[in-house]
Amino acid sequence: MTKVYEAMAEAFLAEGATHVFGMMGDANMHWMNAMAERGAEFFEARHEGSGLAMADGWARGAGRPGVATTTSGPGVTQLATSLVCASRARTPLVVMCGEVGLGDTGAVQYLDQRRFAEAVECGFVQVSSPSQAQSAVQRAFWLARTASRPVMVSAPTDIQQQEYDGGFEYVTSTGLIDDAPRPADPERIRRAAEILAESERVVVLVGKGARSDDVGELVLQLQDKTGALLATTLQVKNWLRDRTPYYAGISGLYGTQTAHELLQEADCLVAVGASLNHFTTEHGYLYPMARVIHLDRADQVVTGTGRPADCYVRGDASESLRQLVAAVAAVPTGRGGTGYHTADVADRLRTADALSEPFHQEADRLDPREVILALDELAPEELPLVLGSGHQTDFGTMLFTKPREIVSNYGLFGAIGQAPLLTMGWSLARNRQPTFVVEGDASFIMHLAEFDTACRYGWPVLIVVMNDEALGAEYHKSAAHGLAADLSAIPSPDLGSVATAMGGSGATVRTIPELEKVVREFLANPAPTVLDVRITREVLSVPYRRLWYAEEV
């Protein structure tokens, strides 16, 4: 007879759970063995939350739900930060969590896992009887796919050990989802075309939901027909940059001063696959006079300004754009000029992100801007980039210019330490594609043990640690508020040597030639590598200069 944990394993495999991340404990060990016997590949992390973050990166790279696992009680609570991060990133995940015996509130590892899941923005499905073994898995994957969020499958140990009394042929969650493209309302398309015909200064803004080759071609066609600027959200920075001279870059705090000036002149904003949150609109500072055309698949989107779109077009981005491009060509335009498409605007954008200030000179410390520019030059655009969070990431967010694929963890719960873990999962999902991540020293050291995981599995990740030996964000905020900045300064070990001792490659560098040597070695032979780059604390990023000192930069 089939046990419940075996029936659950079969359902997970039917859903495509080929890779599983996490740690073993009493309450999930039988399920893990059943999965392994059936061909699933396990990746044991050193911390449950780290394993879930790796599954998050894997899901982003694979384009389908990631799977993680942990034991009951403390194993579940260790997931907290990574679950909230995945929820804010809208990553579909299914987490098989063991649970103490059903109703055993006196057990040492008892936890009300339903209430915990609710607190950390995670869906919850409990296997409360043997007959629910497979239907619970099916529902969890259905919720993960349709709501784009993490979902916990909580399986009590006593239920797992019982005999499965189901017997129906398993239907995967994909069989319950109608994913046919949603056609746009022709009346909405007509109204959007009329607004564009009446507008003089159009901006086309693309977000993560728009990134595909067919959508990109249509965006460029719309931009050409309307004389529009092209702007992006942070998550798709540099996408299509090399396809138009009218690329304005990131819309929001991380945009250039030139972009800020031009975007404020817009009288029409066309948002494609972007949520228009308050980061993108800079709390209403950008696009103050613009009418908004919003193309998205969601039933409705509440923007960061709280204003409704002037024309909301619900449907598949590719088909909606195709119809809109055709409608724009058919509607007479009242524009008297070429919109933003002038030689002056092209010249301003060409030099918008060029540095006008000299690099800071300090013995044995590098200017973080010089580091990012060197990395951008060395790393080919085919090498994906993961950006962490914190002050040091601001430099890379603004200064990387190659149109490489980017995974950004910035703003997603503001949690440090997640980016290297995401990188490991991402690389594995892309058939062990070499990938590099830029992160701070406090962030990397927080999950230093997971570099051992990368080494055990041979994941080709280059972890660039921008090391100012401090909690950089707090250091600069303290200085801005007149507090004792040195309270946030924490000495760092030689992380290059630590990486080598853990079985990988590593180096601590203090000059650009040393940095170039390590990067070239990684590119020639990709392997787990830590690049400990010692940077100065004397250079403040542009976003922080704007936020804390109101500088126009």
Short mmCIF file of all heavy atoms in Angstrom, two decimals, residues 360-368 370-371 465 467-469 491-497 507-518 531-536:
data_model
loop_
_atom_site.label_atom_id
_atom_site.label_comp_id
_atom_site.label_asym_id
_atom_site.label_seq_id
_atom_site.Cartn_x
_atom_site.Cartn_y
_atom_site.Cartn_z
N HIS A 360 37.48 58.98 -6.14
CA HIS A 360 38.09 59.26 -4.84
C HIS A 360 39.38 58.45 -4.71
O HIS A 360 39.43 57.27 -5.06
CB HIS A 360 37.11 58.89 -3.72
CG HIS A 360 37.68 59.03 -2.35
ND1 HIS A 360 37.81 60.26 -1.72
CD2 HIS A 360 38.16 58.11 -1.47
CE1 HIS A 360 38.33 60.08 -0.53
NE2 HIS A 360 38.55 58.79 -0.34
N GLN A 361 40.41 59.07 -4.20
CA GLN A 361 41.70 58.41 -4.02
C GLN A 361 41.95 58.15 -2.54
O GLN A 361 41.89 59.06 -1.73
CB GLN A 361 42.83 59.29 -4.59
CG GLN A 361 42.68 59.63 -6.05
CD GLN A 361 42.73 58.41 -6.95
OE1 GLN A 361 43.54 57.50 -6.74
NE2 GLN A 361 41.87 58.38 -7.97
N GLU A 362 42.19 56.88 -2.21
CA GLU A 362 42.44 56.50 -0.82
C GLU A 362 43.30 55.25 -0.82
O GLU A 362 43.05 54.31 -1.57
CB GLU A 362 41.12 56.24 -0.10
CG GLU A 362 41.25 55.89 1.37
CD GLU A 362 39.90 55.69 2.04
OE1 GLU A 362 38.92 56.30 1.60
OE2 GLU A 362 39.83 54.90 3.00
N ALA A 363 44.31 55.23 0.04
CA ALA A 363 45.24 54.10 0.08
C ALA A 363 44.50 52.80 0.41
O ALA A 363 43.73 52.74 1.38
CB ALA A 363 46.33 54.37 1.12
N ASP A 364 44.74 51.78 -0.39
CA ASP A 364 44.19 50.43 -0.17
C ASP A 364 42.67 50.36 -0.21
O ASP A 364 42.08 49.40 0.27
CB ASP A 364 44.69 49.86 1.17
CG ASP A 364 46.19 49.60 1.15
OD1 ASP A 364 46.71 49.28 0.06
OD2 ASP A 364 46.83 49.72 2.20
N ARG A 365 42.03 51.39 -0.75
CA ARG A 365 40.57 51.38 -0.88
C ARG A 365 40.20 51.88 -2.27
O ARG A 365 40.78 52.86 -2.77
CB ARG A 365 39.93 52.30 0.17
CG ARG A 365 40.14 51.84 1.60
CD ARG A 365 39.20 50.72 1.96
NE ARG A 365 39.54 50.12 3.24
CZ ARG A 365 38.79 49.22 3.86
NH1 ARG A 365 37.65 48.83 3.32
NH2 ARG A 365 39.17 48.70 5.00
N LEU A 366 39.22 51.24 -2.88
CA LEU A 366 38.78 51.63 -4.21
C LEU A 366 37.51 52.46 -4.15
O LEU A 366 36.69 52.32 -3.22
CB LEU A 366 38.53 50.38 -5.06
CG LEU A 366 39.78 49.62 -5.52
CD1 LEU A 366 39.40 48.24 -6.04
CD2 LEU A 366 40.52 50.40 -6.59
N ASP A 367 37.34 53.31 -5.14
CA ASP A 367 36.10 54.05 -5.31
C ASP A 367 35.06 53.07 -5.87
O ASP A 367 35.31 52.43 -6.90
CB ASP A 367 36.32 55.21 -6.29
CG ASP A 367 35.12 56.12 -6.43
OD1 ASP A 367 33.98 55.60 -6.54
OD2 ASP A 367 35.31 57.35 -6.47
N PRO A 368 33.91 52.89 -5.22
CA PRO A 368 32.93 51.91 -5.71
C PRO A 368 32.47 52.17 -7.14
O PRO A 368 32.13 51.22 -7.87
CB PRO A 368 31.78 52.03 -4.71
CG PRO A 368 31.96 53.34 -4.03
CD PRO A 368 33.44 53.57 -4.01
N GLU A 370 34.35 53.26 -9.60
CA GLU A 370 35.39 52.72 -10.48
C GLU A 370 35.29 51.20 -10.55
O GLU A 370 35.48 50.60 -11.62
CB GLU A 370 36.77 53.13 -9.95
CG GLU A 370 37.92 52.77 -10.88
CD GLU A 370 39.26 53.27 -10.37
OE1 GLU A 370 39.34 53.69 -9.18
OE2 GLU A 370 40.22 53.23 -11.15
N VAL A 371 34.93 50.57 -9.44
CA VAL A 371 34.76 49.12 -9.40
C VAL A 371 33.64 48.68 -10.35
O VAL A 371 33.80 47.75 -11.15
CB VAL A 371 34.47 48.64 -7.97
CG1 VAL A 371 34.11 47.15 -7.96
CG2 VAL A 371 35.67 48.91 -7.05
N VAL A 465 31.87 41.13 -3.46
CA VAL A 465 31.53 41.74 -2.18
C VAL A 465 32.11 43.16 -2.15
O VAL A 465 33.32 43.35 -2.14
CB VAL A 465 32.10 40.92 -1.00
CG1 VAL A 465 31.70 41.55 0.33
CG2 VAL A 465 31.61 39.47 -1.08
N ASN A 467 33.06 45.71 -0.11
CA ASN A 467 33.35 45.63 1.31
C ASN A 467 33.87 46.95 1.87
O ASN A 467 35.02 47.32 1.68
CB ASN A 467 34.38 44.52 1.55
CG ASN A 467 34.52 44.15 3.01
OD1 ASN A 467 34.07 44.88 3.90
ND2 ASN A 467 35.15 43.02 3.27
N ASP A 468 32.98 47.67 2.58
CA ASP A 468 33.40 48.90 3.25
C ASP A 468 33.56 48.67 4.75
O ASP A 468 33.70 49.62 5.53
CB ASP A 468 32.42 50.05 2.99
CG ASP A 468 31.01 49.74 3.47
OD1 ASP A 468 30.79 48.65 4.03
OD2 ASP A 468 30.13 50.59 3.28
N GLU A 469 33.53 47.41 5.17
CA GLU A 469 33.63 47.02 6.57
C GLU A 469 32.65 47.82 7.45
O GLU A 469 33.00 48.36 8.48
CB GLU A 469 35.06 47.20 7.08
CG GLU A 469 36.05 46.24 6.41
CD GLU A 469 37.38 46.20 7.11
OE1 GLU A 469 38.16 47.16 6.94
OE2 GLU A 469 37.64 45.23 7.83
N PRO A 491 34.58 45.36 11.52
CA PRO A 491 35.73 44.82 10.79
C PRO A 491 35.38 43.51 10.09
O PRO A 491 34.59 42.71 10.59
CB PRO A 491 36.77 44.60 11.89
CG PRO A 491 36.35 45.50 13.00
CD PRO A 491 34.85 45.55 12.95
N SER A 492 36.00 43.30 8.95
CA SER A 492 35.70 42.11 8.15
C SER A 492 36.94 41.24 8.02
O SER A 492 38.05 41.74 7.86
CB SER A 492 35.24 42.56 6.75
OG SER A 492 35.15 41.46 5.89
N PRO A 493 36.76 39.92 8.05
CA PRO A 493 37.90 39.04 7.76
C PRO A 493 38.25 39.09 6.28
O PRO A 493 37.51 39.67 5.48
CB PRO A 493 37.36 37.65 8.15
CG PRO A 493 35.89 37.75 7.94
CD PRO A 493 35.53 39.16 8.31
N ASP A 494 39.35 38.48 5.94
CA ASP A 494 39.76 38.38 4.54
C ASP A 494 38.84 37.35 3.87
O ASP A 494 39.03 36.13 3.99
CB ASP A 494 41.22 37.93 4.47
CG ASP A 494 41.75 37.84 3.04
OD1 ASP A 494 40.95 37.59 2.12
OD2 ASP A 494 42.96 38.03 2.85
N LEU A 495 37.82 37.83 3.18
CA LEU A 495 36.80 36.94 2.63
C LEU A 495 37.33 36.10 1.47
O LEU A 495 36.81 35.02 1.20
CB LEU A 495 35.58 37.74 2.20
CG LEU A 495 34.85 38.46 3.35
CD1 LEU A 495 33.74 39.34 2.81
CD2 LEU A 495 34.31 37.45 4.34
N GLY A 496 38.35 36.60 0.80
CA GLY A 496 38.96 35.79 -0.26
C GLY A 496 39.58 34.53 0.30
O GLY A 496 39.41 33.43 -0.24
N SER A 497 40.29 34.68 1.42
CA SER A 497 40.93 33.52 2.07
C SER A 497 39.87 32.58 2.65
O SER A 497 40.02 31.35 2.60
CB SER A 497 41.88 33.99 3.18
OG SER A 497 42.94 34.75 2.64
N ALA A 507 39.65 35.98 -3.61
CA ALA A 507 40.75 36.94 -3.51
C ALA A 507 40.22 38.21 -2.87
O ALA A 507 39.06 38.58 -3.07
CB ALA A 507 41.35 37.24 -4.88
N THR A 508 41.08 38.85 -2.10
CA THR A 508 40.76 40.17 -1.56
C THR A 508 41.59 41.18 -2.34
O THR A 508 42.81 41.06 -2.39
CB THR A 508 41.08 40.23 -0.06
OG1 THR A 508 40.23 39.31 0.63
CG2 THR A 508 40.84 41.64 0.49
N VAL A 509 40.92 42.14 -2.98
CA VAL A 509 41.61 43.04 -3.90
C VAL A 509 41.49 44.48 -3.45
O VAL A 509 40.48 44.88 -2.84
CB VAL A 509 41.07 42.90 -5.34
CG1 VAL A 509 41.13 41.45 -5.78
CG2 VAL A 509 39.65 43.41 -5.45
N ARG A 510 42.52 45.25 -3.76
CA ARG A 510 42.56 46.66 -3.40
C ARG A 510 42.94 47.55 -4.58
O ARG A 510 43.10 48.75 -4.42
CB ARG A 510 43.55 46.87 -2.24
CG ARG A 510 43.19 46.07 -0.99
CD ARG A 510 44.23 46.22 0.11
NE ARG A 510 43.96 45.36 1.25
CZ ARG A 510 43.16 45.66 2.26
NH1 ARG A 510 42.54 46.83 2.26
NH2 ARG A 510 42.98 44.83 3.27
N THR A 511 43.10 46.93 -5.75
CA THR A 511 43.41 47.70 -6.96
C THR A 511 42.57 47.16 -8.12
O THR A 511 42.14 46.00 -8.10
CB THR A 511 44.91 47.59 -7.34
OG1 THR A 511 45.18 46.25 -7.75
CG2 THR A 511 45.80 47.98 -6.16
N ILE A 512 42.39 47.99 -9.13
CA ILE A 512 41.63 47.56 -10.30
C ILE A 512 42.34 46.43 -11.06
O ILE A 512 41.68 45.46 -11.48
CB ILE A 512 41.34 48.75 -11.23
CG1 ILE A 512 40.39 49.74 -10.52
CG2 ILE A 512 40.73 48.29 -12.54
CD1 ILE A 512 39.03 49.16 -10.18
N PRO A 513 43.67 46.47 -11.24
CA PRO A 513 44.32 45.33 -11.91
C PRO A 513 44.10 44.01 -11.16
O PRO A 513 43.92 42.96 -11.80
CB PRO A 513 45.80 45.73 -11.91
CG PRO A 513 45.77 47.23 -11.95
CD PRO A 513 44.61 47.60 -11.06
N GLU A 514 44.10 44.03 -9.84
CA GLU A 514 43.83 42.80 -9.08
C GLU A 514 42.40 42.32 -9.34
O GLU A 514 42.16 41.11 -9.50
CB GLU A 514 44.03 43.07 -7.58
CG GLU A 514 45.47 43.30 -7.17
CD GLU A 514 45.62 43.71 -5.72
OE1 GLU A 514 44.61 44.13 -5.10
OE2 GLU A 514 46.75 43.62 -5.19
N LEU A 515 41.47 43.24 -9.38
CA LEU A 515 40.07 42.90 -9.67
C LEU A 515 39.95 42.29 -11.06
O LEU A 515 39.29 41.26 -11.26
CB LEU A 515 39.20 44.15 -9.55
CG LEU A 515 37.71 44.03 -9.83
CD1 LEU A 515 36.92 45.01 -8.96
CD2 LEU A 515 37.38 44.29 -11.29
N GLU A 516 40.59 42.91 -12.03
CA GLU A 516 40.51 42.42 -13.41
C GLU A 516 41.06 41.00 -13.52
O GLU A 516 40.49 40.17 -14.25
CB GLU A 516 41.28 43.36 -14.33
CG GLU A 516 40.64 44.74 -14.46
CD GLU A 516 41.50 45.72 -15.22
OE1 GLU A 516 42.73 45.48 -15.31
OE2 GLU A 516 40.96 46.72 -15.72
N LYS A 517 42.12 40.70 -12.79
CA LYS A 517 42.73 39.37 -12.84
C LYS A 517 41.74 38.30 -12.37
O LYS A 517 41.57 37.25 -13.02
CB LYS A 517 43.99 39.35 -11.97
CG LYS A 517 44.68 37.99 -11.89
CD LYS A 517 45.96 38.10 -11.06
CE LYS A 517 46.68 36.75 -10.99
NZ LYS A 517 45.91 35.75 -10.21
N VAL A 518 41.05 38.55 -11.24
CA VAL A 518 40.13 37.55 -10.69
C VAL A 518 38.93 37.35 -11.61
O VAL A 518 38.49 36.22 -11.85
CB VAL A 518 39.67 37.97 -9.28
CG1 VAL A 518 38.62 36.98 -8.74
CG2 VAL A 518 40.85 38.06 -8.34
N LEU A 531 34.97 37.56 -4.57
CA LEU A 531 35.86 38.68 -4.85
C LEU A 531 35.61 39.74 -3.78
O LEU A 531 34.59 40.44 -3.80
CB LEU A 531 35.57 39.24 -6.25
CG LEU A 531 36.41 40.41 -6.75
CD1 LEU A 531 37.90 40.12 -6.63
CD2 LEU A 531 36.06 40.73 -8.19
N ASP A 532 36.49 39.82 -2.80
CA ASP A 532 36.36 40.74 -1.68
C ASP A 532 37.01 42.07 -2.08
O ASP A 532 38.23 42.22 -2.03
CB ASP A 532 37.06 40.15 -0.45
CG ASP A 532 36.96 41.01 0.80
OD1 ASP A 532 36.41 42.12 0.71
OD2 ASP A 532 37.43 40.57 1.86
N VAL A 533 36.18 43.02 -2.49
CA VAL A 533 36.67 44.30 -3.00
C VAL A 533 36.60 45.34 -1.89
O VAL A 533 35.50 45.71 -1.44
CB VAL A 533 35.85 44.78 -4.22
CG1 VAL A 533 36.46 46.04 -4.80
CG2 VAL A 533 35.75 43.68 -5.27
N ARG A 534 37.73 45.81 -1.44
CA ARG A 534 37.77 46.78 -0.36
C ARG A 534 37.50 48.18 -0.92
O ARG A 534 38.27 48.70 -1.73
CB ARG A 534 39.11 46.73 0.36
CG ARG A 534 39.37 45.38 1.04
CD ARG A 534 38.26 45.02 2.02
NE ARG A 534 38.34 43.67 2.52
CZ ARG A 534 38.65 43.35 3.78
NH1 ARG A 534 38.91 44.31 4.66
NH2 ARG A 534 38.68 42.08 4.16
N ILE A 535 36.38 48.77 -0.52
CA ILE A 535 35.97 50.07 -1.04
C ILE A 535 35.97 51.13 0.07
O ILE A 535 35.85 50.82 1.25
CB ILE A 535 34.58 50.02 -1.70
CG1 ILE A 535 33.51 49.61 -0.68
CG2 ILE A 535 34.58 49.07 -2.89
CD1 ILE A 535 32.08 49.75 -1.17
N THR A 536 36.07 52.38 -0.34
CA THR A 536 36.05 53.49 0.59
C THR A 536 34.64 53.77 1.10
O THR A 536 33.65 53.46 0.43
CB THR A 536 36.59 54.76 -0.08
OG1 THR A 536 36.57 55.84 0.87
CG2 THR A 536 35.76 55.16 -1.29
#
